[in-house]
Amino acid sequence: MAALSGGGAPWRRGWLPALQFVRRGSKAVTRHWKAMHFQRQKLMAVTEYLAPRPAIPPCCLTPKKEKVEEDNGYTRLLRRQVEEVFRDNRMIAICQYNSMPGEDVVLMRHYLRKHNIEVKFVLNEIVRPVLSQSKYKNLLPLFVARNILLVSPELKAKEMLRVLKGVPQVNLLGACIDDTILSRRGVENFAKLPSLEVSQGQTVGALALLPSQTSSLLQRGPAHLTALLDEHIRRLQAGETGSPPEPAPAHSSGGH
């Protein structure tokens, strides 16, 4: 009794048996996964619901308009600079730019600056919206990769091609010269043309040659007629005096 009342181990004090709820009549889980019968698989595959195809293919539908993000101040500044480049320069060449060392870039810029040609690094997302709303929208197919612009207020196509020949990382795609869009072949042909002063001299010479030839043709008939009349008068005078006629002086075809 002493052991039950106060003595004994501490863990025995106030000990009560644990309560356990036992469910009578429960059965063990005996269901396991079983593969579907082959006939039923075929039936399920045949009776599977297939949604009808749309009458218009999705690729032909009008795409949803994307939300136009508001341009920040820096983007508007860059676009304004692009507009100034196309407005203030007579020659604008579009080139494909491949990665090259920084020293080569500095050297290329130095040689181009000698001929008053500047290098402009631009982003397609800045240039394309500007060109799409201007008269230069036919240049849009050229802006598909990383591009640079070679701009100059003067027509320096020959000097530009000479510099680019030593820079294989920069490929000329096309150019806009005096508001005329040219391909690479067109720029090369334009570079072979003589300078403006030489062309003007050749034009003036060609225009002056035609009037001189016309004047010579108009004067040839009267000069020939005058020579024949002089010869006839000389013969008449010689017949009256009885002396042999003197030989007529030679007349030039371009007489006065």
Side-chain angles (χ1 to χ4, degrees), residues 102-112 163:
E103 297 178 356
D104 295 343
V105 176
V106 174
L107 195 61
M108 179 187 69
R109 279 187 159 184
H110 171 70
Y111 286 127
L112 290 173
V163 175

Side-chain angles (χ1 to χ4, degrees), residues 48-58:
E48 184 181 1
Y49 173 75
L50 296 178
R53 295 182 178 181
I56 302 176

Side-chain angles (χ1 to χ4, degrees), residues 7-27:
W11 58 273
R12 291 182 178 275
R13 298 174 184 173
W15 175 82
L16 294 175
L19 299 178
Q20 294 182 356
F21 296 93
V22 180
R23 184 177 179 181
R24 302 295 181 180
S26 61
K27 297 181 179 179

Side-chain angles (χ1 to χ4, degrees), residues 39-58:
Q39 294 293 339
R40 186 175 181 182
Q41 291 181 10
K42 293 198 299 184
L43 179 63
M44 295 293 292
V46 171
T47 58
E48 184 181 1
Y49 173 75
L50 296 178
R53 295 182 178 181
I56 302 176

Side-chain angles (χ1 to χ4, degrees), residues 56-252:
I56 302 176
C59 59
C60 299
L61 298 176
T62 305
K64 297 181 180 179
K65 295 183 178 180
E66 299 179 356
K67 296 182 179 179
V68 180
E69 299 181 356
E70 297 183 358
D71 298 335
N72 53 22
Y74 182 64
T75 303
R76 291 194 299 269
L77 175 62
L78 294 178
R79 291 180 179 176
R80 193 179 304 115
Q81 291 178 353
V82 172
E83 294 176 357
E84 294 176 355
V85 166
F86 278 85
R87 184 178 62 247
D88 300 338
N89 294 279
R90 299 177 60 188
M91 185 186 74
I92 304 166
I94 299 94
C95 301
Q96 181 183 2
Y97 175 78
N98 300 313
S99 299
M100 55 188 301
E103 297 178 356
D104 295 343
V105 176
V106 174
L107 195 61
M108 179 187 69
R109 279 187 159 184
H110 171 70
Y111 286 127
L112 290 173
R113 196 175 292 114
K114 283 185 176 181
H115 304 290
N116 198 17
I117 303 176
E118 295 292 335
V119 180
K120 302 289 184 181
F121 288 85
V122 294
L123 299 175
N124 292 343
E125 54 267 22
I126 299 297
V127 177
R128 294 182 67 88
V130 176
L131 297 182
S132 61
Q133 301 177 359
S134 67
K135 59 183 179 181
Y136 305 106
K137 58 184 177 181
N138 290 334
L139 291 173
L140 287 174
L142 301 181
F143 291 90
V144 294
R146 191 177 182 186
N147 302 99
I148 61 174
L149 300 179
L150 306 181
V151 300
S152 175
E154 304 174 6
L155 303 180
K156 299 286 187 177
K158 186 182 300 183
E159 293 79 359
M160 178 187 66
L161 292 176
R162 189 182 302 118
V163 175
L164 292 182
K165 188 180 295 184
V167 187
Q169 293 87 351
V170 178
N171 302 319
L172 178 64
L173 301 178
C176 181
I177 299 177
D178 279 343
D179 294 339
T180 302
I181 298 176
L182 301 175
S183 62
R184 178 185 178 90
R185 180 67 60 83
V187 176
E188 294 174 352
N189 295 335
F190 178 82
K192 297 177 183 178
L193 296 176
S195 61
L196 181 60
E197 292 76 10
V198 176
S199 300
Q200 290 176 347
Q202 294 175 353
T203 304
V204 171
L207 294 177
L209 179 63
L210 295 177
S212 64
Q213 292 178 349
T214 304
S215 176
S216 176
L217 291 175
L218 293 176
Q219 292 178 4
R220 183 178 301 175
H224 185 59
L225 178 61
T226 302
L228 293 177
L229 293 176
D230 291 343
E231 181 66 19
H232 181 66
I233 293 172
R234 189 177 299 105
R235 289 182 179 182
L236 292 177
Q237 293 177 352
E240 293 177 356
T241 58
S243 59
E246 299 178 357
H251 291 273
S252 62

